[in-house]
Amino acid sequence: MFYFLSLSYALFLKIFLPFLNRTEWDTFLAFLFVSFSFYFLILRYVSSVSLNGIFGMGIVLRLASLFAIPVLSDDFYRFLWDGFLSFQGSSPFVFTPLEWMTKNEFRHTNLLEIYENLNSKNYYSVYPVILQGIFAIPWILGLENLFYQVVCLQLILFIFDIFNLIIMKAKTKDLRIYWIFVGNPLLVLESASQIHFEGMILFFFFIILSQFQKRRFLISSIIFSIIMQIKINFLFLMPGFMTNRTIREKIQLVSLLFLSILYLFFTVFFNVSSQIESGIGLFFHSFRFNSLMEQIFYVFLLPFPSLSYLSGALSLFIGAMAYIWTIFIYDISNEICLLIGMLFLILFSPVVHSWYFIPFVGVSLYFGYHVTFSILLSFFALLSYLLYAFTNPAFAIGLGLIELFMIGVYVWKKKPLSFLQKTPFSEESKHA
């Protein structure tokens, strides 16, 4: 029955995912309901198979969601645009797509198609150099058809998904928790399928966690500095890396992060004022999506129009202070410091796309830590796509308040100190 249901789940994804429209709330909600129904139903039958059997079905599920143009996100157009500029020797941090097209007579049929579908023609690239190198791979390979370029990026991320499945299989011997990771709709859909790099980031965090357990803090610091060259906002987690370390280890971490940030200033922040106005700065002063705590600060600042644009920066600052306070108040391990930091980042960010939840959910399941909570967050993460159909701010506020209420109730029931402790799945499942 496990294999029959798993193959049915994969077939469902293969048939219906390519035709999904994120602005059609009814079909998306039905898709979400069926996906999670398969997810929970299959969980009942995992005891009849082996870890290898679950691993195999994890591969099948992810393959079923590949080889199609992403439908839940159009970010891949910007990835390919940046990749073309990098391949041609032009910096995506110097010109916006509109500026580049205005100043260059070069016309490439595939490039024009990509340009016309960009949602960021007037914005500078915010993706660091490591990602720019990956974006350029389809062009380096001579792929000029959009479909093949998409598949190329999907397969790169699929490799990291396989590594994540292997790491989880080695970590846990619990068939239930392994399926909860393998079959999670968020983890299946939001990495390789829709071309989001949080799956790759999750792989690096898995390596960091393994180095924590071996007390190899220098290696974990090096990898963390590399993550900064993939997604800058993870700098938020630095206080968690500073705990339980010697002075020498702290100096090593700060030195490596300084070099990483310095490199960012010579690349992404080549023109700081442009990035603040029409690049990364947008995530702090103009671009808001599915924010949770930030919405509260935004509402309080509305009576002061000249200050309301600071809501994102204010939210992240207060979140960072709350994170540091939590670390100092509670005696928790590096691993849990990292996990709690990811949760605070989600709670206080002004932009919280569905795929932003992948590192937290993945690391949480890696430890079997509040598994029920991670499943709920996975559902709410995907539910946020309804914001594309219901653009009324009241709906966004309502959805955010429901999610905050759910998180608050969960933490209150567990008690803050208990919530911050590692809870094995076997113990939690008795009370979930």
Side-chain angles (χ1 to χ4, degrees), residues 343 357 360 373-381 403 406-407:
L343 180 58
F357 287 78
F360 175 83
F373 183 64
S374 296
I375 294 173
L376 285 171
L377 283 185
S378 299
F379 176 77
F380 273 98
E403 193 165 355
M406 179 270 294
I407 293 172

Side-chain angles (χ1 to χ4, degrees), residues 373-391:
F373 183 64
S374 296
I375 294 173
L376 285 171
L377 283 185
S378 299
F379 176 77
F380 273 98
L382 290 171
L383 196 65
S384 67
Y385 277 108
L386 294 181
L387 295 174
Y388 289 102
F390 300 104
T391 56

Side-chain angles (χ1 to χ4, degrees), residues 80 83-84 87 108 110 114 135-143 149:
L80 291 171
F84 176 80
F87 174 62
H108 186 290
N110 181 227
I114 292 170
F135 299 161
I137 290 176
W139 301 101
I140 293 172
L141 295 177
L143 303 175
Q149 291 174 329

Side-chain angles (χ1 to χ4, degrees), residues 190-253:
E190 287 289 21
S191 181
S193 173
Q194 302 304 303
I195 311 182
H196 295 127
F197 290 81
E198 274 68 14
M200 181 173 70
I201 291 171
L202 176 60
F203 167 76
F204 286 118
F205 275 121
F206 280 162
I207 302 302
I208 286 174
L209 292 172
S210 70
Q211 298 307 304
F212 277 172
Q213 294 170 343
K214 298 173 183 177
R215 307 295 294 177
R216 295 175 179 171
F217 288 122
L218 176 59
I219 297 177
S220 68
S221 297
I222 293 172
I223 297 174
F224 184 52
S225 65
I226 292 173
I227 289 176
M228 291 291 298
Q229 297 299 321
I230 300 174
K231 195 151 188 178
I232 300 170
N233 65 348
F234 282 109
L235 179 63
F236 185 95
L237 302 179
M238 189 181 73
F241 277 81
M242 298 290 286
T243 61
N244 304 318
R245 296 200 184 199
T246 65
I247 296 297
R248 179 184 177 184
E249 290 166 344
K250 290 178 180 179
I251 292 174
Q252 289 173 342
L253 173 63

Side-chain angles (χ1 to χ4, degrees), residues 73-117:
S73 171
D74 52 10
D75 288 348
F76 68 94
Y77 288 112
R78 184 58 193 248
F79 301 161
L80 291 171
W81 172 269
D82 283 7
F84 176 80
L85 263 61
S86 297
F87 174 62
Q88 291 291 317
S90 300
S91 172
F93 311 119
V94 175
F95 301 106
T96 67
L98 180 61
E99 291 171 345
W100 194 90
M101 289 294 282
T102 302
K103 295 180 179 181
N104 291 271
E105 297 182 357
F106 180 84
R107 292 294 181 268
H108 186 290
T109 303
N110 181 227
L111 188 66
L112 287 173
E113 180 184 3
I114 292 170
Y115 176 79
E116 291 302 323
N117 284 283

Side-chain angles (χ1 to χ4, degrees), residues 256-267:
L256 287 166
L257 287 181
F258 174 78
L259 292 175
S260 185
I261 293 171
L262 185 64
Y263 188 66
L264 288 172
F265 270 102
F266 284 105
T267 53

Side-chain angles (χ1 to χ4, degrees), residues 285-296:
H285 58 69
S286 300
F287 186 30
R288 304 170 64 246
F289 184 86
N290 192 36
S291 56
L292 299 175
M293 296 299 297
E294 186 271 344
Q295 293 186 85
I296 297 173

